[in-house]
Amino acid sequence: MSAPLIEMRGITKSFGAVKANEAVDLSVAPGEILGLLGENGAGKTTLMNVLFGAYAPDAGEILVEGRPVAIHNSADALAAGIGMVHQHFHLAPRLTVLENLLIGIPGKSGRIDRARGLARLNEIGRQYGLSLDPNLPVSALSVGEQQRLEIIKALFRGAKLLILDEPTAVLAPSEVDGLFAALRSMATQGLGIIFISHKLNEVRALTHRCVVLRHGKVAGRVDHPAQTTSAEMAKLMCGHEIVPPTKEASSPGAAVLTLDGISTSGHAGTPLRDVSLSVRSGEILGIAGVSGNGQRALADVISGMLPPRAGAMTIAGKAVARFSPRELQALGLGRIPEDRMTTGLVTNLPLADSMVLPRIGTEAFSRKGLLNPAAIRAFAEEQIKAYDIRCPGPMVRAGALSGGNLQKALLARELAFDPKVLIVSQPTRGLDIGAARFIHEKFLAMRAKGCGIIVIGEDLEELLMLSDRIAVMYEGRIAGTLPSADATVARLGLMMTGAGHTEEAA
Amino acid sequence: MFRLEARTSTPAWFNLALPLLAIAATLVLCSGLIAIAGAGVVDAYGVMLSASLGDSYAITETLVRAAPMIFTGLAVAIAFRAKFWNIGAEGQLLAGAVASCFVGAIPMPGYLAMLLMALAGAAAGALVALVPATLRVKFKVDDVVSSLLLNSVIYYALMALIEGPWKDSFSGYPISPPIEDSANFPVLMEGTRLHLGVIVALIAAPLCWFLIARTTLGFRIRVTGENPEAARYGGINVQRVLLSTALLSGALAGLAGVGEVGGVHFQVMSDISPGYGYSGIVVAMLARLNPLGVVPAAIFLAAVMTGAEAMSRATGVPAFLSDVIQGTALLAMLVALLFTAYRIRRVGAPA
């Protein structure tokens, strides 16, 4: 057997008292796709940051093709043949595809060697089936194409091992198939791939072998992921069995949220065009669609961030007049934003501050302009306990929490005041199974209490599991609405591409 | 070999340690200049210390100088908390001085005059600060540039005033008419210049702390500064918060000017502020934008200023050293702030 492409031996890395990685061994052979699984905070990202040179390990060594190497920064990593595709892309949007590829690559006597770059780009395109128009600016690329560019960038720099950190989180189902095909083709041509994901079905479909991390240590290794059930892998990740939540039958009541002919303009994303829909009390309405088809505008209108150009909206029977976040909250709307870090929370301030933010002016937390610190603290402590938010306390910097705990904190702040309607975007993106399960249960409990919920998401299986009805968005319109009993991934997938309109009363 | 590594949290004692570290680094760096000027480093700093804090008179002089920098430091600290980049405290101070001088020259009972001077000065400073804030909120104009440039506008408007309508017709000096004697701020200690305004400045700092830490407006200022998007999503009217912050910040800077007119100079002249507005930025940064930290930071800079003059007389080192120390202290603090986000780690030599 040939030497592994990359071998990590006994990697240990601590942050203060917390051991993010402890004696982790991992290796990837040429032509192998290795799955790296683990809940949030299990140490996957730390381990990959050690491999890519962002952190220096406290102990352990890294071997490339059998030789020990010291990796101090990303340049060392690239020189050792390690390429990484981060969750957040590192591209210059105003430069073209080719220019982005050539950033940091020395040219001939101070001039950029476009011809050689172009030749190399075509070669990569032929070899792995990854092609892009070299002259398009990055800002004109879709998210999936930007990801492809990141992969090409790594290959362009001679990567023999490619690390992909949750690459499918930003992709539509059809794009995922394309990515997998490219990854398989790269593996058959001798590249090694480390694939980080939470989605067990993807890991089972793609990888040859899996390493599961839990609390910074290797909790288990799976040699034949395709023959292992998701439940077994989930158990390795969490340390206990995961049972999917059961959805009770519910009898939806009166409409708690209606949109009538809403159109928008002046928004960064796709605008809404004549969108009408309604959610009834005790009902979950799923909004499916390939990202960038107006979901962002829909969430922004409903949460009060974007006043519509035309159309009307009601909450609990009352017409919305000004579309300000404060007015909508007062009418009984709860909201979980798509981007918890930038829209939901204030990462540099104590967690308690973020948890009371929307209601800071109410009697609960202040009187006559004076804060009630004791009440704020008590509320935060109570919610931390009730939602099992793992953190040192309410005064910890919110940004120090993991994604799952942040999402719980946001959920706690909205649900504490019994909203009549809840709008959530990508509620479990980036969360591990345990946290996602917790969020799902809370939604179903709110549904049972008569709350109307809109879930905007890209994970069709999640939408099918939660929703009573699913509406599909395409190019800023509602392309159709199906009861979830009649919906399948295949049928929704077809509607998401704009084909097979199914007009029913929304 | 050393490298920087991102920190996950910042210990609380850093808030005290970093300014002290920055000041220590500043004094070490500036000792080179003292040596070049041909004086003994220890002697020079010794003279600075004794002349600024060595006896009760020296302390009162330092406090009198600290008062305007406490106000401008508070003005900058509160503005920066909301990320309203108010570099215009200097102009707001001058506007406050001019307005209070107008009012103080009108004959009326003393305490009424002082109160109205304070109100007029605060209002003038607030109005000036409102200009860059409004430009930013309505037209997205960069507030750093607009508030900074406005300083020159106000300064030359002041010059036009004292060279024109206010010019002393007897002496021909470009100074304003003095305020009424009854409007002079009472001196609190016989034989010193320690005036009422200094006490007001010392009280203003805890009040500003209370405002930031314990009121809903302070909460909104903090949240808006840290994350305007989350603030808006949470129902905060971000534009209104920025405008309120500007009014507050400008009023505080205006009060610095009121203190100089009412307590120190009793009239307006072109050099009424030796850059107290800009020093306020250094003060606020050294205080890590904490209103309570503004007081010791302002006293430090004031001590450097008074001390530098005495040092210049005693050792021949130019008094400009005080400006160098101020500038170096700001740079040292900005570098020290790096340690709130990063730690230095030793790593083995590269293979």
Side-chain angles (χ1 to χ4, degrees), chain A residues 13 53-54 58 72 305 325-326 329 335-337 341-343 345-346 348 353 357-358 360-361 366 369-371 397, chain B residues 3 5 8 210 213-216 219-220 222-223 226-227 229-237 345 347-348 350-351:
Chain A
K13 172 73 193 172
D58 300 332
H72 296 296
M305 297 290 273
R326 196 185 292 196
Q329 275 171 42
R335 308 135 325 139
I336 309 274
M341 293 293 236
T342 59
T343 317
L345 295 141
V346 189
N348 269 335
D353 286 0
L357 167 56
I360 193 64
S366 66
L370 297 185
L371 298 177
R397 220 173 59 87
Chain B
R3 55 184 268 163
E5 199 171 281
T8 45
F210 186 84
R214 291 281 185 265
T215 68
T216 48
F219 183 93
R220 293 188 173 117
R222 280 183 281 141
V223 171
E226 288 293 347
N227 186 343
E229 163 124 357
R232 197 161 91 81
Y233 193 81
I236 290 174
N237 186 334
R345 251 184 90 90
V347 292

